[in-house]
Amino acid sequence: MAKPPASLSGQDVGSFAYLTIKDRAPQILTKAIDTLHRHKSEFFEKYGEAGVEAEKKAISLLSKLRNELQTDKPIIPLVEKCVDTDMWNQYLEHHQSLLKESDETPRWFYSPWLLVECYMYRRIHEAVIQSPPIDDFDVFKESKTQSFFESQESVIALCTYLQELVRTIEDLDENQLKNEFFKLLQISLWGNKCDLSLSAGEASSQKTNVLNSLQDLKPFILVNDMEHLWSLLSNCKKSEKTSIRVAIVLDNSGFELVTDFILADFLLSSKLANEIHFYGKSIPWFVSDTTVRDFNWLIDQVKCSNHKWMSKCGVDWENDVKMGRWVYHDHIFWTLPHEYCVMSQVAPDLYAELQKAHLILFKGDLNYRKLTGDRKWGFSIPFHEALNGFHPAPLCSIRTLKAELQVGLQPGQAEQLMASDPTWLTTGKYGIFQYDGPL
Ligand code: F6P
Ligand code: MG
């Protein structure tokens, strides 16, 4: 296999990677600092003076981090001992060794974008855990909560739709069931537009009912492998397998997570699957990504809603978790900077776990960047090739485009898009269902 191309990086002045490091990353740090400031009295009430001291310490560590980033300082090792610290530091050393000949050290604008962006979120976490007693504070929680509440109307519309669908699901013929499956897949795709890291932590929610827009959004699906997903799962169902397991590698909490829950509920109700395994982050990540707290919080919120059908969804989902039909997992690998092609060596237990799935859905842009190694691939090289040996089970990326990276397009497709919309790669306006597995 040919050597994969170079990584996307902030070295390319004017690129999306460059602009993210230059503009968006410092804004995210500033927002985290503000959030800590605003919680000062809450910390005082909870922990007294120690809480205020901790808030000051976390803020000073984050300000130092922002300064390192803005002045393109060398990337320094992590200091606070955690389960993943050695793996992080080994990875940083490895990068250092690759640069030996040029006498460079890894730096913010010089190193791979994926590495420095993950490193920033890991350093934010370090600043918080170095500041007890506020060491389990999630600096992004407030934004995640706000974006969920702002999407209330859409959430109600989706929950109502789902409850009606589930009630009549036994009466649907094959074709109708397939259409519903496609609808809910698209809802889960467009749910990925709502991400807080792209909007630098500013509110990014779903205010309109996405169900009404699906038809209009169809032309924006650049790769559409939904038929393969249907064939795969409906064949599993026909073969009467005792267990059909679908894994969902989660992305954002809030509205996107609701759309993933709706899809998961449908998969069980339609018997296209009977176990859903969710994979989330073990620390706050890329502003809006789902942690176990967000996962449980959301189910709770939905359950406690005053709206009859929304609340029914929450009760059902809580029950799915209790009965083990829905299983939540986290693993440190998801918040390491590694590309997924090394998962079988770096996290063999996780790889073995994913191999048990009949289908793995990878939600969101960051997962796509890690699947393809965040490299400067040509637009028409096959997805299978960009996965660079990562094939634990049949898989599909469900992602709106938010990085200058896309593979598997038809010859000429990228050029046409570029001509009609030069920002097509980075605004989340376009989406893909890109499948890799037996056809
Ligand atoms: O900062 C922008 C960005 O890093 C994207 O390029 C990135 O992949 C995205 O944030 C997060 O998107 P998602 O939530 O879809 O993974
Ligand atoms: Mg995300």
Side-chain angles (χ1 to χ4, degrees):
M1 207 186 282
K3 195 171 166 278
S7 304
L8 297 174
S9 138
Q11 270 181 82
D12 300 319
V13 176
S15 66
F16 189 68
Y18 168 82
L19 294 171
T20 299
I21 302 168
K22 182 170 123 348
D23 301 328
R24 210 169 305 112
Q27 281 173 35
I28 287 169
L29 287 168
T30 302
K31 187 122 205 268
I33 291 170
D34 285 352
T35 304
L36 282 161
H37 256 310
R38 270 185 294 98
H39 283 75
K40 192 175 181 163
S41 45
E42 189 186 311
F43 296 145
F44 180 72
E45 272 163 36
K46 227 169 153 184
Y47 308 107
E49 255 331 296
V52 177
E53 284 309 308
E55 177 245 16
K56 274 194 212 146
K57 180 165 182 195
I59 287 178
S60 92
L61 290 169
L62 290 180
S63 308
K64 177 173 174 288
L65 175 61
R66 186 176 52 190
N67 179 268
E68 286 172 28
L69 185 158
Q70 288 180 314
T71 52
D72 200 16
K73 292 277 178 331
I75 304 277
I76 53 177
L78 299 174
V79 289
E80 189 73 20
K81 265 270 164 263
C82 277
V83 274
D84 61 345
T85 313
D86 290 343
M87 287 176 112
W88 260 101
N89 287 345
Q90 275 161 21
Y91 195 81
L92 295 175
E93 261 169 42
H94 168 71
H95 268 267
Q96 170 89 55
S97 71
L98 295 179
L99 297 172
K100 275 262 158 63
E101 269 154 38
S102 57
D103 222 17
E104 278 285 351
T105 47
R107 293 196 328 260
W108 292 88
F109 284 85
Y110 188 85
S111 301
W113 175 33
L114 181 61
L115 166 61
V116 296
E117 204 175 15
C118 291
Y119 175 77
M120 178 182 90
Y121 288 99
R122 183 58 183 79
R123 282 281 302 276
I124 295 176
H125 179 62
E126 184 168 81
V128 174
I129 57 174
Q130 281 187 304
S131 311
I134 62 162
D135 46 351
D136 74 340
F137 184 71
D138 178 350
V139 289
F140 304 127
K141 178 72 200 166
E142 211 175 52
S143 324
K144 289 186 268 196
T145 309
Q146 188 194 351
S147 103
F148 171 73
F149 288 127
E150 285 174 1
S151 314
Q152 278 308 288
E153 256 175 70
S154 303
V155 173
I156 290 176
L158 287 182
C159 290
T160 309
Y161 184 82
L162 176 73
Q163 289 302 325
E164 174 68 21
L165 175 60
V166 167
R167 215 169 43 79
T168 54
I169 205 157
E170 300 284 335
D171 309 332
L172 300 185
D173 64 28
E174 273 287 284
N175 216 23
Q176 287 169 321
L177 199 65
K178 178 170 147 183
N179 281 339
E180 295 302 335
F181 176 54
F182 285 181
K183 227 183 232 179
L184 298 186
L185 278 171
Q186 288 170 78
I187 285 169
S188 168
L189 168 66
W190 299 120
N192 179 245
K193 267 189 182 178
C194 305
D195 128 60
L196 296 163
S197 120
L198 193 65
S199 59
E202 291 311 319
S204 166
S205 53
Q206 180 64 42
K207 296 203 177 71
T208 56
N209 179 358
V210 66
L211 275 162
N212 299 333
S213 327
L214 294 185
Q215 208 48 38
D216 297 341
L217 289 170
K218 275 247 172 76
F220 299 99
I221 303 177
L222 303 181
V223 178
N224 191 346
D225 290 338
M226 287 197 297
E227 286 283 350
H228 297 316
L229 305 186
W230 171 256
S231 306
L232 183 91
L233 292 181
S234 60
N235 284 336
C236 283
K237 183 177 167 181
K238 277 183 205 136
S239 68
E240 293 180 3
K241 283 191 196 308
T242 45
S243 141
I244 310 170
R245 177 162 170 168
V246 172
I248 306 183
V249 182
L250 294 171
D251 185 11
N252 304 311
S253 169
F255 183 71
E256 180 171 357
L257 187 57
V258 173
T259 66
D260 298 333
F261 284 171
I262 300 263
L263 177 65
D265 188 319
F266 171 80
L267 289 173
L268 293 186
S269 310
S270 60
K271 305 198 172 59
L272 287 166
N274 45 28
E275 275 176 63
I276 311 288
H277 291 251
F278 297 97
Y279 295 84
K281 308 293 195 293
S282 45
I283 60 175
W285 201 243
F286 279 66
V287 189
S288 38
D289 286 15
T290 307
T291 63
V292 68
R293 275 201 219 165
D294 301 323
F295 185 91
N296 293 329
W297 179 86
L298 190 93
I299 295 181
D300 222 44
Q301 286 299 315
V302 175
K303 193 181 93 176
C304 297
S305 157
N306 296 327
H307 190 278
K308 181 174 157 197
W309 298 126
M310 186 165 159
S311 151
K312 168 84 167 63
C313 283
V315 172
D316 289 352
W317 298 345
E318 190 180 60
N319 211 25
D320 287 328
V321 174
K322 259 192 213 136
M323 303 307 288
R325 292 185 290 262
W326 283 16
V327 187
Y328 180 90
H329 308 253
D330 53 23
H331 194 288
I332 56 162
F333 182 79
W334 303 117
T335 49
L336 290 174
H338 300 65
E339 40 195 310
Y340 293 163
C341 63
V342 300
M343 185 193 284
S344 59
Q345 298 124 57
V346 177
D349 55 332
L350 178 62
Y351 192 83
E353 180 70 33
L354 291 180
Q355 281 181 311
K356 294 182 198 158
H358 292 89
L359 172 66
I360 313 172
L361 303 176
F362 283 90
K363 289 297 315 283
D365 192 70
L366 180 60
N367 273 323
Y368 193 75
R369 291 172 58 195
K370 288 186 159 190
L371 283 166
T372 56
D374 213 34
R375 295 172 180 279
K376 297 177 185 172
W377 297 106
F379 291 120
S380 51
I381 75 120
F383 185 39
H384 187 81
E385 191 180 324
L387 288 169
N388 202 14
F390 180 71
H391 310 292
L395 61 86
C396 182
S397 160
I398 302 182
R399 160 237 189 190
T400 59
L401 280 62
K402 302 171 195 164
E404 282 165 330
L405 169 67
Q406 182 57 56
V407 301
L409 295 185
Q410 299 301 320
Q413 197 179 356
E415 291 73 10
Q416 245 179 26
L417 284 158
M418 194 66 90
S420 65
D421 181 356
T423 63
W424 65 286
L425 282 163
T426 54
T427 52
K429 178 171 158 192
Y430 294 87
I432 54 162
F433 293 99
Q434 198 158 37
Y435 172 78
D436 181 68
L439 296 177

